[in-house]
Amino acid sequence: MIFISLATFEHLCLSAHQVRVPEFPMRAFLPIAALAVSLAGPAASAVVINIGGVEGGGSTTLTFSGSTQTQGNGSVRATGALGWSETDAFQPFRSDSIPFLSDTTIQDVIYTLTGTPTLTIGAETRTLTQLFLDSDAGTLSGSDDLGLRVGSELVYSSGQTVTFSGSGTIALDITSFNYGTYTNGGSSLNRIGVLAPEDDVTFIVAPTPVPTPAALPLLLAALGGLALFRRRT
């Protein structure tokens, strides 16, 4: 047990009382906060549709994710419905005027979606069964159409939550699309914002890299070793 005198104890207490904690003004944290905001980057669209496939593979896969809100009254039409409608279609746009579809022969074509992509509006959920595509001859970015079809008609009203999920594949090569990032809206002639607000859906089109077989590196190494062995002998 350690004993200290009363005078020593009083000195220790006085010293502790005189210790000052440095003050940090709020302005010192402002640069850190600004840096955090800048690193976060601009806000992303609420809905993202990734469009990919192996070049020459004859198919394209669309992966849907995210939520948004309807901006008017309308419906997503049922399987087999022909033609374009602003209530169940988008017109992907990009500022450099490159159109969404590179294949201008695609005119009012409906493609079957295989897989289980879903569309939920309010409390109603439907499976996305078909994709409607229409090229306007590549004359203007934002004029090509991408429409949706569901198992049975889905009627909606303004202000309802819209949620996309899942993936589906169509029998169309990825090279039928121009690669890049598009949004729904932006064109001065074709701005659609019924099923979702303008610029609230992003389409990311990119080819899928061809995977390298796992055994290929080992095979190449073996061939290299064999060539080296023959050279030495």
Side-chain angles (χ1 to χ4, degrees):
M1 182 177 297
I2 299 175
F3 295 93
I4 60 174
S5 67
L6 179 59
T8 301
F9 177 76
E10 290 177 348
H11 176 72
L12 292 173
C13 291
L14 180 61
S15 299
H17 180 71
Q18 291 176 345
V19 172
R20 298 185 61 185
V21 177
E23 297 180 0
F24 294 93
M26 286 300 297
R27 63 177 178 270
F29 293 97
L30 292 180
I32 300 175
L35 176 60
V37 172
S38 64
L39 291 177
S45 294
V47 173
V48 176
I49 302 176
N50 286 287
I51 303 173
V54 176
E55 292 181 336
S59 65
T60 295
T61 298
L62 296 91
T63 301
F64 302 83
S65 62
S67 298
T68 183
Q69 194 172 63
T70 58
Q71 301 298 292
N73 301 328
S75 68
V76 181
R77 289 172 292 165
T79 302
L82 301 176
W84 173 87
S85 171
E86 67 175 3
T87 65
D88 58 16
F90 304 113
Q91 291 181 311
F93 169 84
R94 54 191 276 185
S95 59
D96 58 8
S97 298
I98 295 178
F100 182 60
L101 293 169
S102 61
D103 186 350
T104 59
T105 66
I106 299 175
Q107 301 288 322
D108 297 328
V109 181
I110 292 180
Y111 297 89
T112 298
L113 271 167
T114 59
T116 56
T118 61
L119 170 63
T120 300
I121 302 181
E124 299 290 331
T125 298
R126 301 283 192 278
T127 298
L128 291 167
T129 57
Q130 293 178 328
L131 201 70
F132 170 81
L133 293 175
D134 178 39
S135 170
D136 286 337
T139 56
L140 177 70
S141 181
S143 59
D144 294 345
D145 306 315
L146 183 153
L148 306 173
R149 300 291 185 271
V150 290
S152 59
E153 185 180 22
L154 180 52
V155 179
Y156 60 84
S157 57
S158 181
Q160 289 187 289
T161 299
V162 180
T163 301
F164 290 88
S165 66
S167 298
T169 301
I170 61 174
L172 180 68
D173 200 84
I174 186 64
T175 55
S176 297
F177 300 85
N178 285 310
Y179 303 150
T181 300
Y182 298 79
T183 60
N184 64 312
S187 167
S188 59
L189 298 180
N190 300 284
R191 295 183 67 85
I192 297 179
V194 182
L195 183 58
E198 297 168 358
D199 303 322
D200 209 32
V201 179
T202 296
F203 308 85
I204 302 174
V205 186
T208 303
V210 179
T212 302
L216 183 58
L218 296 177
L219 177 60
L220 293 176
L223 291 175
L226 181 60
L228 181 61
F229 175 78
R230 286 181 175 177
R231 189 183 309 173
R232 288 181 176 179
T233 57

